[in-house]
Amino acid sequence: MSTVQSITSLPHETDATSTKGLVLIVDDTPNNIQILSEALVQQGYQVRGAVNGSMSLISVKHLRPDVILLDIKMADMDGYEVCRQLKADPETANIPVIFISALDDALNKVKAFAVGGVDYVTKPFQFPEVLARIENQLTIGRLQDDLQRQNLRLQQEIRERVAIEAQVHRLNAELEERVRQRTLQLEQEIVEREQAQEQLRYRVMHDPLTRLPNRTLLMQCLEEAIEKSQQSSAFAFAVLFLDCDRFKIVNDSLGHFVGDQFLVAIAERLQTCLSSEATLARLGGDEFTILLNNVHHNSATAVAQTIQAALCAPFQIEGYEFFLTASIGIVHSCWGYRTPVDILRDADTAMYRAKAQGSTGSRYQVFDPSMHAEAQTSLLLDTDLHRAIERQEFFLNYQPIVSLTSGEIQGFEALVRWQHPERGPVSPEDFILVAEDMGLIVPIGQWVFREACRQLKIWQRQNLLQGSMYICINLSVKQFSQPDLIDQIDQVLRETDLDGCHLKLEITESAIMNNSTFASEILEQLSDRKIQLSIDDFGTGYSSLSYLHNFPVNTLKIDRSFIISMAETHKTPAIVQAIITLAHNLGMDVVAEGIENAEQQQRLTDLGCNCGQGDLFSRPVGPHAVVEMLNHQSQFLLRS
Ligand code: C2E
Ligand code: MG
Ligand code: MG
């Protein structure tokens, strides 16, 4: 310890901050230390000394010199051992040790390097050499420090770069995951959108009730068929246009729910008649269309016949039993169609022709261009009908209703006629339905009612009508549902000063079924005015019989179709007998329509039918002919 103190107080010591470095001199000869340190201090070094090995080890730990000048031969511990211990301690291992020794043989030098020395100076030494070697070591030390700092910096940079790369990698992975998720989401959205579009396309192209292709889809199919037929003359197609007969009555009498069920059942039955290649579409209402691709001329009519046969079986819907007939128009591609609209127009025309044939015809018709002219006239009818009222083109004919027991005229049915300015007389069969569809039946009906009352009053004044003679006036379903019907009737009765007891209104079953809630109220009001009530075309509507005894009905008129079939079959249809019995049981009388021959009259008389009307007695005639009839022949001869 005393040695160290003596050394720390060495002369010419300079400030540590401005020195070139701190040198520790280890030598057990203090004089050596003294000499060397003076020289080093002069050169600007800071110097410490230690006079034995063990002391030097403590000093090194404490001082951290930049370089150690170490003597080999020392009393307590030689320089080799000091060096070995310094190198063994990580804290001191890097301090460069320069051996200074009088031992000059190579072996010693080798040993000195082996224990970790960096240099070797032989005593006696030249101070400049010692100085140079010290400076060398310090330079090497500085360079090593620099190198180490650079290494550290590089390592730090590498670490930072690795961290950044890891971060980038993580962000990339995150981004990839997000992209993957978004892609999945987008794919899902695309699938959903496609499904929605598919559903929309289906809805646009199909009828929601029957799920059949609708008009839009049919038009597309027709366009494709036209194209194919234009490309190849071997390809032919046919279109069947099917309209259910009298379907409106189902809707009018039993409501739209039953009507809808009926349509679904019809669609199903039609489908069973068709091959999988045929396209069955619903055009709307009770109209269906069938497209047959690749057909021979006869196969379309064969399909129509199959359909007619299939429709013969009754339909059971909601507890009701329905019988259906349908009219079918057939169009073949051979007429060289260019647009679907033309095909449908012609199929529709043929269908109307089939319908016009009624129950007696085949109920299907194949279109041929001569039908065009006819269709065009019916189109003109619509426009002309509008002007007919104001131009006073309507007039009335009267058909006598005759007692089948006495042959006496009981009354007349007023039947409207239209005198078309160019076409001449138009039958109500041809325009009443059109007028109903166009809503013109109400004003026409009002005119008929007023005119019939006016005529009746004239005949009364002329004393032509006996006691209870009446005039029957037809009332359409639409008229019957007019809220002010009774007011209108009252007004006409007032104007014409007529008693209601001379009037009989003819309504159809559907007029009552359609308005069943307020029908009874109206019928009561009519009854209050002593106006009688007749159910026209009885037996053809889909009605429940239960209403009959609830309403003040006086007469049932048996529809002409049943009377016709009496002549055809030469036997009485059970329905005629049933209607007569029913009417009598309910206290009503019966009028048979459309008696054309004496045989029919005879059989009806035998069945107890009260009255008859028909060409056998008289066709509907104008007012002058009625006057003639009443003056000269008010009783018909009956076959008995
Ligand atoms: P409807 O009320 O059943 O009238 C009877 C129809 O049968 C009349 O036809 C009449 O001419 C016809 N007829 C009568 N006897 C015979 C016969 O022996 N043989 C044949 N082949 N036919 C006979 P019309 O005058 O053509 O009237 C047809 C339908 O038009 C009427 O059937 C009725 O439903 C409707 N109608 C006629 N006039 C009017 C009217 O003023 N208002 C309303 N709403 N409908 C009317
Ligand atoms: Mg009638
Ligand atoms: Mg009738």
Side-chain angles (χ1 to χ4, degrees), residues 399 413-417 427-429 432 441 448 474-476 479 506 536-537 560 593-596 613-615 620:
Q399 187 174 37
E413 177 173 7
L415 293 161
V416 70
R417 298 289 176 263
S427 153
E429 304 254 275
I432 290 286
I441 192 66
V448 169
N474 291 287
L475 221 59
S476 86
Q479 267 179 287
E506 292 194 4
D536 204 355
D537 308 335
R560 193 159 66 88
E593 292 180 334
I595 303 178
E596 291 184 342
Q613 175 182 352
D615 295 356

Side-chain angles (χ1 to χ4, degrees), residues 100-162:
I100 299 187
S101 175
L103 304 171
D104 193 18
D105 60 289
L107 223 61
N108 284 323
K109 288 182 184 170
V110 168
K111 195 173 175 185
F113 286 115
V115 295
V118 292
D119 211 347
Y120 198 100
V121 181
T122 317
K123 288 183 193 168
F125 51 75
Q126 294 293 316
F127 181 70
E129 185 195 346
V130 175
L131 200 61
R133 287 180 190 263
I134 288 171
E135 273 171 4
N136 264 353
Q137 286 312 316
L138 288 178
T139 306
I140 288 170
R142 266 198 305 277
L143 287 173
Q144 273 175 342
D145 280 354
D146 275 359
L147 216 60
Q148 202 172 351
R149 263 197 305 281
Q150 276 179 24
N151 265 346
L152 282 174
R153 213 175 48 237
L154 272 175
Q155 278 169 4
Q156 179 64 18
E157 265 175 34
I158 288 169
R159 266 197 302 278
E160 280 171 10
R161 199 160 293 178
V162 166

Side-chain angles (χ1 to χ4, degrees), residues 471-491:
I471 285 206
C472 295
I473 300 171
N474 291 287
L475 221 59
S476 86
V477 178
K478 288 230 170 84
Q479 267 179 287
F480 192 73
S481 32
Q482 291 277 295
D484 61 344
L485 176 69
I486 298 292
D487 291 344
Q488 290 172 23
I489 290 175
D490 282 345
Q491 196 189 338

Side-chain angles (χ1 to χ4, degrees), residues 484-538:
D484 61 344
L485 176 69
I486 298 292
D487 291 344
Q488 290 172 23
I489 290 175
D490 282 345
Q491 196 189 338
V492 176
L493 290 182
R494 256 197 321 274
E495 276 171 25
T496 51
D497 185 26
L498 202 67
D499 193 332
C501 70
H502 297 293
L503 291 181
K504 203 179 222 184
L505 296 184
E506 292 194 4
I507 58 172
T508 54
E509 293 160 275
S510 45
I512 295 184
M513 296 305 291
N514 211 19
N515 305 288
S516 56
T517 39
F518 67 104
S520 73
E521 203 178 307
I522 293 178
L523 297 181
E524 286 305 332
Q525 285 177 303
L526 293 174
S527 180
D528 291 346
R529 287 154 180 78
K530 295 190 262 147
I531 297 174
Q532 298 179 62
L533 195 73
S534 190
I535 307 289
D536 204 355
D537 308 335
F538 191 77

